[in-house]
Amino acid sequence: GDWRKDHWAFQKNNHPVLAMAFSHPLFPVSRRELYVIFGVNMIFALTVGAFVAHASVCVQCNLDCEGGDSSCYLKEIGKLSHVFMARSEVSIQGSSVSRWPGVEGAADHPHSFLCCMSVKLGVRWW
């Protein structure tokens, strides 16, 4: 047979994006299940990507389970905010303060959960 037809038949059932639109009706995984699988895979990939980006800042600022320079962490995360966080302006007693969601507690806890977990899970091996 034609290898291109075989390749297309394989791809339309096994490629994560193509299978959502082109899978065979008798394929054992329904299209609805393929959408769920794709969504879970995307959430997982984005979470790992954000975790690695944060871990690189932890390495740069020498933050681990024992502590480190939390001011460096906040400064470097601020530089990365355009990549994976929405910056918000918060008004506290008449003064405008910039903060990044999920990072505001890091100044109070220099041994932040994320940096400590990056050490324990081995994300900082590079």
Side-chain angles (χ1 to χ4, degrees):
D2 185 15
W3 69 269
R4 285 175 276 192
K5 287 183 181 180
D6 291 339
H7 182 68
W8 173 243
F10 175 79
Q11 289 298 328
K12 70 181 182 179
N13 285 314
N14 291 306
H15 188 277
V17 176
L18 294 176
M20 289 189 293
F22 298 112
S23 64
H24 192 276
L26 298 178
F27 190 64
V29 181
S30 72
R31 289 192 181 170
R32 184 178 188 157
E33 290 171 323
L34 290 170
Y35 285 116
V36 171
I37 291 168
F38 181 77
V40 170
N41 283 339
M42 288 302 297
I43 291 168
F44 178 75
L46 292 173
T47 302
V48 169
F51 189 70
V52 170
H54 273 282
S56 68
V57 173
C58 295
V59 169
Q60 186 176 356
C61 296
N62 199 26
L63 272 168
D64 56 16
C65 296
E66 282 78 42
D69 186 6
S70 61
S71 62
C72 171
Y73 178 81
L74 292 173
K75 184 177 93 175
E76 294 301 320
I77 286 296
K79 291 178 185 176
L80 292 176
S81 67
H82 68 282
V83 176
F84 56 88
M85 283 189 237
R87 186 174 178 176
S88 62
E89 296 291 328
V90 178
S91 179
I92 300 174
Q93 296 177 351
S95 64
S96 180
V97 178
S98 293
R99 72 178 179 120
W100 287 266
V103 179
E104 61 270 10
D108 300 327
H109 306 288
H111 55 284
S112 70
F113 174 77
L114 188 63
C115 293
C116 185
M117 288 307 294
S118 70
V119 170
K120 291 183 178 190
L121 293 174
V123 177
R124 297 167 51 151
W125 60 270
W126 67 90

